[in-house]
Amino acid sequence: MIFNDNLPIYIQIINLIKKRIVIGELKEGDKLPSVRELSTELKVNPNTIQRSYQELEREELVFTQRGMGTFVVENKETIKDLKKNMASNVVKSFITDMKSLGFNSLEIIELINETAKEIK
């Protein structure tokens, strides 16, 4: 993973794990990699991974069982809400960027429709 210098690494790791959950790479009840495994994979300090896991637990997206590991919650609604929130953030960012380029709402919608037809 290539980290962005403009965002703390632990937040980037949180976003990575959230994306893995949303796309189904990590499913409800799946065990997350151990702190040591993920720190080795991403080449970051284990404390950074631990901080990410703690934040995900605070957001009620994962839970920790002592001696067993950290697991994705088994609540489909929570994951559905996460997916919707992540999509909403992407859309808001896109619209903000488009408006900064001088597009109005109708032009943005037309461009989306045209592009969606091309991508099929």
Side-chain angles (χ1 to χ4, degrees), residues 91-92 94-115:
V91 170
K92 286 176 185 174
F94 170 75
I95 290 171
T96 300
D97 289 347
M98 293 300 287
K99 288 195 173 195
S100 74
L101 292 173
F103 288 90
N104 64 41
S105 296
L106 185 58
E107 291 170 323
I108 294 170
I109 292 168
E110 289 172 359
L111 184 58
I112 291 170
N113 284 330
E114 290 171 14
T115 305

Side-chain angles (χ1 to χ4, degrees), residues 50-109:
Q50 185 62 41
R51 184 171 181 189
S52 300
Y53 281 12
Q54 287 172 340
E55 183 63 25
L56 288 165
E57 192 163 0
R58 192 187 66 71
E59 292 181 29
E60 299 181 353
L61 295 171
V62 303
F63 63 95
T64 300
Q65 287 186 327
R66 190 177 185 127
M68 299 288 291
T70 304
F71 299 83
V72 177
V73 294
E74 296 185 34
N75 185 330
K76 290 185 186 296
E77 276 304 308
T78 299
I79 294 172
K80 184 178 174 183
D81 289 345
L82 172 63
K83 185 173 186 173
K84 186 176 179 180
N85 288 337
M86 288 178 73
S88 179
N89 290 337
V90 169
V91 170
K92 286 176 185 174
S93 177
F94 170 75
I95 290 171
T96 300
D97 289 347
M98 293 300 287
K99 288 195 173 195
S100 74
L101 292 173
F103 288 90
N104 64 41
S105 296
L106 185 58
E107 291 170 323
I108 294 170
I109 292 168

